[in-house]
């Protein structure tokens, strides 16, 4: 399960020094306070305002490289395809494209973003349970690497679209191995009760049918059992063993299997979790799928981008309740929804150097949205935070900006990338005028004021 906002724990929350020490792209400077790479975050907050997402290019490169190197050291013929749903910023995608990463996309928008960022079409995988005919046609026009089909109905749809276009679609069949990844129920994808993939018992017959359909070239199997997996390799090994068994059976029947898609899901330490290492994941893949001698693909998202991002926010006020202190921020659940949706835990650090060493007291950290669920943390030990004080939410680089909304008519936050001593705005803050610009007034209601 995701770490809760507030619940009895066997260990205390990590302190500020520990949170910083575990994140090599962050440092606490005596004069500049919290620094990302070589840029004081307070400089960004003062020039760009808050809320603002900030991403570390160096961290993206380092984490992609660590996973790539672990796979190579295990002797695997492997490729990485970043899950764009975790972070579809063009700047983030461009950094990873330069490192040789492909993309895993689940919509036309993500496909277009990946291409705009410079990711070659032949390094893009299209996943997802509800691809439209328009999206399938676009994928074929672009010439992407493969489409992961998730149902018999979708296989028929891909065949019809491809045949009508005079194209042949490279299709991998996503199987549902019915394996419990022991993650949060809302990000579990490998159980029989989940909407994803083909039931294992139905997969062989459907794969054989794919081979007989016009417009389809079966190329392999895919599996993805969930996100934020932190409890060892058992679930991965169980899922990959089922994939290996199925692939061997298909090849034994003379059906083509060119490669295997291992999905993603490797977790990160938001609080004090100790997730499996890239080397452990590579070892699980080699032990289960290695004997087949087939190329493998991985689709990491959170593991690469999560630690690379922070969300900067300003304190609006501190509200003293009867029994509680509330720190009210200008960031809200429309910006970072993970705590409201998953009861997820994010480290919260003040930016100012003096506040990093000030006395602490419990506080509830909340946003201004008119929902009780607009709560980031309960009973979190924090210093006195006067109006205007700046804080950073850690590990917000994945499923942060991509899940944000304009609820309460709140404009989307700005985005910034840091790369060594350089930094630049990569998405300007949405204006209130832009928020309303695309709305139309029916003529019978009169002109808009």
């Amino acid at each position: 399960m995701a770490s809760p906002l507030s619940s009895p724990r066997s260990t205390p929350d990590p302190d500020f020094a520990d949170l910083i020490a575990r994140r090599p792209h962050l440092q606490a400077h005596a004069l500049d306070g919290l620094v990302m790479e070589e840029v004081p975050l307070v400089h960004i907050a003062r020039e760009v305002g808050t809320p603002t997402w900030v991403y570390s290019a160096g961290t993206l490169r380092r984490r992609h490289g660590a996973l790539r190197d672990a796979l190579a050291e295990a002797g695997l013929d492997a490729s990485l395809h970043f899950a764009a749903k975790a972070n579809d910023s063009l700047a983030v995608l461009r950094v990873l494209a330069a490192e040789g990463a492909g993309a895993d996309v689940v919509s036309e928008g993500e496909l277009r973003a990946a291409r705009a960022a410079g990711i070659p079409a032949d390094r893009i995988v299209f996943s997802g349970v509800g691809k439209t005919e328009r999206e399938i046609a676009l994928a074929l026009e672009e010439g992407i690497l493969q489409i992961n089909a998730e149902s018999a109905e979708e296989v028929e749809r891909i065949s019809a679209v491809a045949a009508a276009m005079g194209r042949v679609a490279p299709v991998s069949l996503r199987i549902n191995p019915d394996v419990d990844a022991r993650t949060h129920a809302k990000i579990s994808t490998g159980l029989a009760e989940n909407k994803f993939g083909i039931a294992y018992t139905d997969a062989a017959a459907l794969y054989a049918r794919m081979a007989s359909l016009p417009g389809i070239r079966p190329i392999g199997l895919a599996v993805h059992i969930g996100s934020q997996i932190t409890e060892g390799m058992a679930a991965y090994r169980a899922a990959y063993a089922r994939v290996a068994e199925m692939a061997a059976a298909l090849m034994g029947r003379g059906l083509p299997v060119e490669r295997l898609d291992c999905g993603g899901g490797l977790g990160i330490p938001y609080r004090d979790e100790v997730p499996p290492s890239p080397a452990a994941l590579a070892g699980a893949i080699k032990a289960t799928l290695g004997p087949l001698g087939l190329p493998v693909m991985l689709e990491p998202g959170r593991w690469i981008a999560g630690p690379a991002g922070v969300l900067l926010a300003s304190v609006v006020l501190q509200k003293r309740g009867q029994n509680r202190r509330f720190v009210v921020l200008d960031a809200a659940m429309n910006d970072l929804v993970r705590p409201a949706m998953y009861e997820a835990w994010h480290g919260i650090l003040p930016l100012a150097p003096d506040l990093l060493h000030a006395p602490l007291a419990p506080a509830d950290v909340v946003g201004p949205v008119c929902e009780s669920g607009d709560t980031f943390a309960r009973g979190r030990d924090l210093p006195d935070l006067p109006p205007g004080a700046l804080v950073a939410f850690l590990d917000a680089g994945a499923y942060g900006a991509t899940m944000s909304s304009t609820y309460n008519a709140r404009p989307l936050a700005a985005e910034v990338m840091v790369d060594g001593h350089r930094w630049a705005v990569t998405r300007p803050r949405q204006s209130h005028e832009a928020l309303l610009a695309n709305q139309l007034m029916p003529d019978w209601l009169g002109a808009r004021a």
Side-chain angles (χ1 to χ4, degrees):
M1 297 289 286
S3 298
L5 291 167
S6 177
S7 66
R9 301 298 298 251
S10 58
T11 58
D13 285 340
D15 61 23
F16 292 167
D18 189 38
L19 287 171
I20 295 170
R22 294 185 182 187
R23 291 155 179 84
H25 58 298
L26 298 177
Q27 302 87 37
H29 288 188
L31 295 179
D32 293 325
L34 193 63
V35 174
M36 176 181 281
E37 298 196 27
E38 300 173 40
V39 178
L41 288 172
V42 66
H43 292 180
I44 296 174
R46 286 173 179 166
E47 290 197 33
V48 182
T50 57
T52 292
W53 306 94
V54 186
Y55 307 122
S56 161
T59 302
L60 294 168
R61 296 186 188 105
R62 183 175 64 253
R63 294 185 70 84
H64 175 272
L67 189 49
R68 178 195 59 212
D69 293 348
L71 295 164
E73 288 167 8
L76 294 167
D77 179 3
S79 59
L80 296 178
H81 304 263
F82 177 69
K85 60 182 174 288
N87 191 315
D88 60 11
S89 159
L90 294 186
V92 168
L93 296 175
R94 176 66 66 88
V95 167
L96 294 173
E99 296 298 298
D104 169 55
V105 305
V106 295
S107 70
E108 176 180 346
E110 288 183 0
L111 174 54
R112 292 187 181 278
R115 296 292 288 123
I119 296 177
D122 63 3
R123 294 188 61 79
I124 295 177
V125 180
F126 203 135
S127 303
V129 300
K131 307 174 196 70
T132 65
E133 292 184 0
R134 173 191 170 100
E135 288 175 323
I136 294 167
L138 177 63
L140 295 174
E141 289 168 359
E142 289 287 324
I144 70 168
L145 177 65
Q146 71 184 47
I147 299 173
N148 288 346
E150 303 218 14
S151 66
E153 293 82 358
E154 186 175 60
V155 166
E156 299 290 341
R157 170 173 284 182
I158 295 170
S159 173
V161 172
M165 295 175 64
R167 302 287 184 94
V168 176
V171 178
S172 180
L173 194 62
R174 178 174 174 177
I175 63 172
N176 186 320
D178 196 19
V179 167
D180 186 358
R182 298 183 61 80
T183 187
H184 194 286
K186 292 181 180 179
I187 49 177
S188 172
T189 62
L191 290 168
E193 65 196 48
N194 300 139
K195 68 180 180 179
F196 301 95
I198 309 293
Y200 188 81
T201 53
D202 298 336
L206 181 55
Y207 197 90
R209 173 158 176 72
M210 282 168 51
S212 68
L213 287 173
I216 285 186
R217 177 168 63 91
I219 57 166
L221 300 173
V223 68
H224 177 66
I225 58 174
S227 185
Q228 186 54 9
I229 298 171
T230 60
E231 297 195 16
M233 284 290 108
Y236 277 122
R237 285 178 175 269
Y240 295 156
R242 302 211 82 185
V243 172
E245 178 184 45
M246 180 65 67
L250 294 174
M251 289 188 289
R253 295 172 56 180
L255 294 168
V257 179
E258 298 177 20
R259 53 183 175 262
L260 301 172
D261 187 338
C262 299
L266 196 62
I268 63 172
Y270 285 100
R271 183 182 181 271
D272 56 2
E273 305 91 335
V274 184
S277 67
L281 178 60
I285 295 171
K286 183 175 183 179
T288 52
L289 301 176
L292 295 173
L294 295 171
V296 297
M297 310 159 58
L298 275 83
E299 296 159 0
R302 184 194 314 270
W303 197 89
I304 290 176
V310 299
L311 173 63
L312 304 183
S314 300
V315 175
V316 177
L317 55 84
Q318 286 190 109
K319 175 181 175 180
R320 303 284 177 175
Q322 193 169 35
N323 300 307
R324 311 181 77 86
R325 171 172 64 123
F326 296 93
V327 176
V328 184
L329 304 178
D330 62 354
M333 64 184 290
N334 74 290
D335 300 300
L336 181 62
V337 74
R338 294 190 71 255
M341 182 175 289
Y342 305 125
E343 296 188 326
W345 195 98
H346 283 268
I348 304 172
L349 293 177
L351 301 194
D354 57 324
L355 294 180
L356 284 168
H357 303 284
L360 307 178
D364 289 3
V365 183
V366 302
V369 159
C370 292
E371 299 273 356
S372 295
D374 186 22
T375 299
F376 295 113
R378 296 190 180 95
R380 188 71 63 87
D381 284 340
L382 291 168
D384 182 57
L385 292 169
L390 298 164
V391 299
F393 289 89
L394 304 185
D395 307 311
Y399 305 105
T402 54
M403 297 179 74
S404 61
S405 73
T406 57
Y407 185 46
N408 278 193
R410 291 170 50 84
L412 296 174
E415 294 187 50
V416 166
M417 176 161 282
V418 169
D419 195 353
H421 67 278
R422 302 172 297 183
W423 67 273
V425 174
T426 56
R427 185 180 72 177
R429 186 177 314 284
Q430 187 180 33
S431 68
H432 287 280
E433 292 76 16
L435 188 64
L436 299 176
N438 292 327
Q439 296 193 44
L440 302 176
M441 194 74 73
D443 57 8
W444 66 84
L445 293 180
R448 194 169 72 186

